[in-house]
Amino acid sequence: MAWEIRYYSEAVQEEIQTFPAGIQARYVHLTERMITHDANLGMPHTKAMEEGLFELRMKSKEGISRVLYCTLVNKRIVILHSFIKKT
């Protein structure tokens, strides 16, 4: 059974859509892997922060971004927050 990705709010999804093209491409690639394989891809792609809370780590020539997400029962991933790192 594949994982399902949901967004906490439309604002979170819209924020990800404003990322530079290279970061968006990396996001799509990693989330496709999460859907087919597992919510925790391991370093350097994902980092477990707390029980059920993870950080999706993306890097491209345009910069570095992070997406925070959690996992729920029945193989559901909820995207909670996203940002581009400034430093």
Side-chain angles (χ1 to χ4, degrees):
M1 184 168 127
W3 287 79
E4 175 188 357
I5 294 181
R6 295 184 181 181
Y7 294 87
Y8 178 72
S9 68
E10 282 186 38
V12 174
Q13 191 171 8
E14 290 169 1
E15 178 68 29
I16 292 169
Q17 293 171 349
T18 67
F19 284 175
I23 293 176
Q24 279 188 29
R26 193 79 184 128
Y27 174 79
V28 168
H29 173 74
L30 291 175
T31 53
E32 285 175 353
R33 286 183 61 191
M34 290 165 62
I35 288 169
T36 57
H37 297 292
D38 189 41
N40 185 5
L41 300 174
M43 290 292 286
H45 309 300
T46 61
K47 179 180 177 184
M49 300 180 71
E50 296 278 332
E51 267 188 54
L53 182 63
F54 297 88
E55 175 183 60
L56 183 61
R57 306 161 62 86
M58 294 157 297
K59 187 176 185 179
S60 75
K61 64 182 178 182
E62 294 102 342
I64 298 171
S65 70
R66 300 290 188 255
V67 172
L68 302 178
Y69 66 96
C70 65
T71 57
L72 301 175
V73 294
N74 297 327
K75 292 194 170 190
R76 286 184 290 165
I77 298 167
V78 179
I79 306 294
L80 301 170
H81 183 69
S82 66
F83 60 93
I84 301 226
K85 289 187 72 173
K86 301 294 183 192
T87 58

